[in-house]
Amino acid sequence: MARGLRLLSRAVVRLRPLLVQGLTRGFSASATEPLHVCVVGSGPAGFYTADRMLKGHEGAQVDIIDRLPTPFGLVRSGVAPDHPETKIVVNQFSRVAANGRCSFFGNVTLGRDVSLSELRETYHAVVLAYGAESDRSLGIPGEDLKGIHSAREFVWWYNGHPDMCDLSPDLKNTQSAIVLGQGNVALDVARILLRCKTELATTDIADYALDALCGSTIRNVYLVGRRGPVQAACTAKELREILGLKNVRVCIKEADLATSPADEEEMRSSRIQRRVYELLSKAASAHRDNNRNDQKELHFVFFRRPTRFIPSENGSTVGAVELEKTALKVDEVTGKQVAVGTGEFEDLKCGLVLKSIGYKSLPVQGLPFDKIRGVVPNLRGRVMSSESETATVETGLYVVGWLKRGPTGIVATNLHCAEETVASILEDDAKGVLRAPSDSKKHGRTGLVEILEQKNVRFVPFSGWEKIDSKEKMAGQLRNKPREKITTWGGLQEAANE
């Protein structure tokens, strides 16, 4: 008997971790009922969240809604067409959507077709992952002149986003374009402007964008940054690619490459910054004597910040950008080097300006929102009522991706971000926070379908996207492209319903 009790005790000790693991995987007192989860946004953050939710909770049913008829967010509309390797992740996301416990609802706009309060009444957990679909403003004179676009708008235009298919940037009446910013998105748009068009012709770039680029007269692109080459915000991989473009001369002023003790300290602390600086220094030397008349030119302009946009002779189109020279100063609070104006100005002529100064997320009714930082106040993905010390948790409401941390990082950054938010959901469910035994209002998928049908919303299921996908690929084969994107709302909806 005693020996049997000892064996039983040992068995309990061995099983205890498994029991704890079961709880952390989301099993609670109400585990017999499905855990209904809605993810708003079908970009990387949304799909990584759905993936981790399905794997972490065997009773979870996940519905992904998106305002576009097409899934995958910035993988489709943000990743440059000449970066096909980055888009391979859609294969993983497609497997998530094929899971029987997951459904996609395209062509559904939060705030118009369904409210946040309706989703919270229908689902045990709502995860907002809709990213950043607006732009920061410089707030300087002349910003509304024609010929000035955000980099986001330009990227959406050449990627065939239905919101930007009619953008029509003027690429024929100028030889010079200015890109404000030196991050990866800035390098993307500069590379698309300068790249050999025969190389772009075999990508999934929108057909109208390829036609416009083929007729482009732009031969000089200026990448303007407030700070120096040590502080350039791009990655070495992106920089190496643009520095290696065919028939493009790279222009960097020798004086801009001089470093201070503070710069040297930054490079010792960051391998990425050191590598970026080394690449720029090497490019400056390699291209110094390489000056052929048939070459296009890429200019890295450091230590300059825009102060106003100057109209051309017609008065409505941008003709130049006034730039103030800057110097670096160590901020006493953060200890980082910041750019300060010197009072010296110069004008840089151009006919096209692309502002790559950051994306901005937008709030929806009923959502706590920090307008200054452009994020939702949260604690490990749990939405908080405010940023104050007395803030309370909004039960069942979560955030992930750019809404959670700001518009930073690469596609893979969203994986860790999603894992943290999903861990919070599972923890809350294990504590019994999300599913009360008497709660009979959470109908999940059937409830959402009922709401949409009552409002006559024609949502696009994943099977509808597969029809779009098939049609695009078939059209692409005729032109030796991965796909020929359908770029209008009407065209996408028609293809989904065929």
Side-chain angles (χ1 to χ4, degrees):
M1 176 99 174
R3 182 172 177 273
L5 288 173
R6 284 196 301 271
L7 290 172
L8 180 60
S9 177
R10 290 172 187 168
V12 169
V13 170
R14 287 195 300 269
L15 285 170
R16 185 175 294 132
L18 296 175
L19 294 171
V20 173
Q21 182 184 11
L23 287 174
T24 58
R25 284 170 60 89
F27 295 102
S28 64
S30 56
T32 54
E33 294 295 323
L35 178 67
H36 296 296
V37 180
C38 182
V39 178
V40 182
S42 67
F47 264 103
Y48 279 133
T49 298
D51 183 40
R52 289 302 181 263
M53 198 70 237
L54 293 167
K55 290 177 179 176
H57 194 302
E58 294 177 1
Q61 290 186 358
V62 182
D63 299 328
I64 305 172
I65 71 173
D66 198 289
R67 75 179 187 91
L68 290 172
T70 56
F72 312 135
L74 286 180
V75 178
R76 177 178 169 92
S77 62
V79 174
D82 55 348
H83 284 176
E85 70 285 351
T86 307
K87 303 185 183 188
I88 294 175
V89 72
V90 303
N91 296 330
Q92 177 186 348
F93 296 161
S94 295
R95 289 192 292 272
V96 175
N99 189 307
R101 293 186 287 129
C102 182
S103 285
F104 173 72
F105 292 80
N107 200 41
V108 176
T109 300
L110 178 65
R112 184 192 70 187
D113 299 322
V114 62
S115 68
L116 181 58
S117 60
E118 286 175 320
L119 290 180
R120 295 183 72 180
E121 290 171 1
T122 306
Y123 290 88
H124 298 110
V126 176
V127 186
L128 301 176
Y130 60 78
E133 296 195 335
S134 185
D135 308 287
R136 292 177 181 173
S137 172
L138 284 167
I140 61 176
E143 200 165 358
D144 58 347
L145 287 170
K146 293 179 181 178
I148 300 175
H149 309 281
S150 72
R152 176 190 62 84
E153 291 172 332
F154 190 69
V155 168
W156 281 12
W157 170 74
Y158 65 63
N159 273 326
H161 192 295
D163 282 352
M164 289 298 153
C165 61
D166 296 324
L167 183 67
S168 299
D170 187 357
L171 308 181
K172 290 185 176 181
N173 293 305
T174 183
Q175 288 193 335
S176 299
I178 294 177
V179 181
L180 299 175
Q182 294 178 337
N184 284 346
V185 175
L187 266 60
D188 273 350
V189 298
R191 192 181 67 253
I192 294 298
L193 286 171
L194 293 169
R195 182 149 225 161
C196 173
K197 303 310 175 283
T198 56
E199 294 175 352
L200 287 176
T202 58
T203 71
D204 66 356
I205 191 169
D207 59 347
Y208 59 73
L210 181 62
D211 290 343
L213 288 164
C214 286
S216 172
T217 59
I218 294 173
R219 302 195 61 79
N220 305 296
V221 176
Y222 297 84
L223 281 162
V224 179
R226 293 172 298 125
R227 298 186 292 172
V230 173
Q231 294 79 31
C234 58
T235 60
K237 180 179 179 295
E238 288 275 352
L239 180 59
R240 191 181 299 109
E241 184 177 8
I242 198 169
L243 293 177
L245 286 179
K246 296 177 183 177
N247 204 35
V248 175
R249 178 173 178 249
V250 178
C251 305
I252 302 172
K253 293 181 179 179
E254 193 72 29
D256 287 346
L257 293 169
T259 58
S260 66
D263 288 332
E264 297 293 339
E265 180 60 32
E266 281 192 36
M267 287 191 284
R268 280 193 291 270
S269 303
S270 171
R271 183 181 61 83
I272 295 175
Q273 286 179 258
R274 183 176 69 252
R275 185 61 183 136
V276 165
Y277 176 79
E278 289 171 351
L279 287 169
L280 290 168
S281 299
K282 184 178 179 181
S285 300
H287 290 265
R288 190 174 296 124
D289 301 321
N290 185 11
N291 189 11
R292 300 201 318 267
N293 291 332
D294 63 336
Q295 283 187 311
K296 296 179 181 180
E297 291 185 350
L298 172 64
H299 297 257
F300 283 86
V301 181
F302 297 104
F303 303 109
R304 300 291 188 275
R305 70 178 181 188
T307 49
R308 70 185 177 106
F309 297 105
I310 303 170
S312 61
E313 292 181 357
N314 67 21
S316 62
T317 305
V318 66
V321 180
E322 181 186 75
L323 301 172
E324 182 180 16
K325 295 181 181 180
T326 64
L328 294 182
K329 178 182 178 181
V330 177
D331 185 277
E332 295 181 357
V333 178
T334 64
K336 295 181 179 180
Q337 294 192 90
V338 296
V340 295
T342 64
E344 297 180 67
F345 298 88
E346 62 187 21
D347 296 343
L348 188 56
K349 292 184 178 181
C350 66
L352 176 71
V353 176
L354 300 174
K355 301 179 297 179
S356 184
I357 57 172
Y359 289 67
K360 184 175 70 174
S361 296
L362 299 173
V364 294
Q365 185 175 0
L367 177 67
F369 195 76
D370 184 336
K371 293 182 179 179
I372 297 175
R373 293 173 56 212
V375 297
V376 175
N378 71 91
L379 182 62
R380 294 189 297 278
R382 297 181 179 92
V383 173
M384 308 296 290
S385 60
S386 69
E387 293 278 13
S388 67
E389 293 182 4
T390 58
T392 57
V393 173
E394 296 282 339
T395 303
L397 187 59
Y398 303 85
V399 69
V400 70
W402 284 1
L403 268 178
K404 175 183 174 183
R405 66 180 192 275
T408 59
I410 58 176
V411 170
T413 308
N414 293 287
L415 175 56
H416 172 72
C417 185
E419 287 175 340
E420 182 181 64
T421 295
V422 169
S424 294
I425 298 173
L426 297 179
E427 183 179 316
D428 290 347
D429 188 47
K431 291 178 179 178
V433 173
L434 302 181
R435 294 184 287 177
S438 59
D439 192 351
S440 59
K441 298 180 181 179
K442 311 295 185 182
H443 300 302
R445 191 170 303 165
T446 56
L448 176 61
V449 170
E450 185 176 328
I451 291 170
L452 298 178
E453 287 180 345
Q454 287 177 351
K455 298 181 179 182
N456 294 317
V457 177
R458 298 183 65 181
F459 64 87
V460 174
F462 199 75
S463 59
W465 151 247
E466 289 175 327
K467 293 177 183 178
I468 295 171
D469 185 41
S470 177
K471 188 170 182 177
E472 289 184 343
K473 287 178 177 177
M474 288 178 64
Q477 287 178 355
L478 300 176
R479 301 182 62 175
N480 194 32
K481 298 176 64 175
R483 67 175 65 241
E484 189 64 72
K485 287 181 177 176
I486 300 170
T487 60
T488 64
W489 283 96
L492 289 167
Q493 291 164 348
E494 183 181 345
N497 293 321
E498 285 182 356

